[in-house]
Amino acid sequence: MNKKYDVLINKLQLTLDDSEVKENQELTTILMTYKNKLENGDEYNFICTKLTNAITNYLLTHKFKAPKSVLDLYNSLENKASKYRGLSAITNWI
């Protein structure tokens, strides 16, 4: 596996180790789902995009409240996800 996968898997694990996240089954499920997908070799940028979408949906349904570790994870991924979304939009236009 490549370094960026390892970095993201470690970030996900640190977020999962947060006591506030451990107490929240919904967040734990979301994060574990994407951590497992990365460990199974799913495409990195696609996972970043899907994970940021899942966190956004969580925030929308929980009055924009989430543990700081989840928000930090989201912020670290948003740039990668935005680039991927932009690239896929360009290919659709062409």
Side-chain angles (χ1 to χ4, degrees):
M1 215 174 283
N2 139 352
K3 183 178 177 175
K4 64 184 178 182
Y5 278 79
D6 293 337
V7 169
L8 182 51
I9 289 169
N10 288 336
K11 283 182 183 181
L12 282 164
Q13 188 59 56
L14 287 173
T15 305
L16 284 162
D17 290 341
D18 181 340
S19 60
E20 288 183 76
V21 175
K22 284 182 181 180
E23 294 171 4
N24 185 319
Q25 186 60 44
E26 186 177 357
L27 278 174
T28 300
T29 301
I30 290 168
L31 298 173
M32 281 302 298
T33 298
Y34 291 101
K35 181 176 179 273
N36 290 337
K37 288 179 184 253
L38 281 170
E39 290 172 338
N40 290 326
D42 286 13
E43 206 275 321
Y44 177 82
N45 291 316
F46 184 71
I47 295 300
C48 289
T49 302
K50 288 297 200 176
L51 179 54
T52 57
N53 288 346
I55 294 171
T56 298
N57 289 334
Y58 177 86
L59 290 169
L60 289 171
T61 59
H62 292 84
K63 300 180 183 177
F64 297 98
K65 293 183 181 175
K68 183 179 179 335
S69 61
V70 173
L71 298 176
D72 291 343
L73 174 66
Y74 176 87
N75 288 331
S76 73
L77 296 176
E78 180 52 30
N79 190 34
K80 294 172 187 75
S82 293
K83 286 180 183 176
Y84 184 75
R85 282 186 206 107
L87 180 61
S88 65
I90 289 170
T91 58
N92 286 336
W93 291 341
I94 295 176

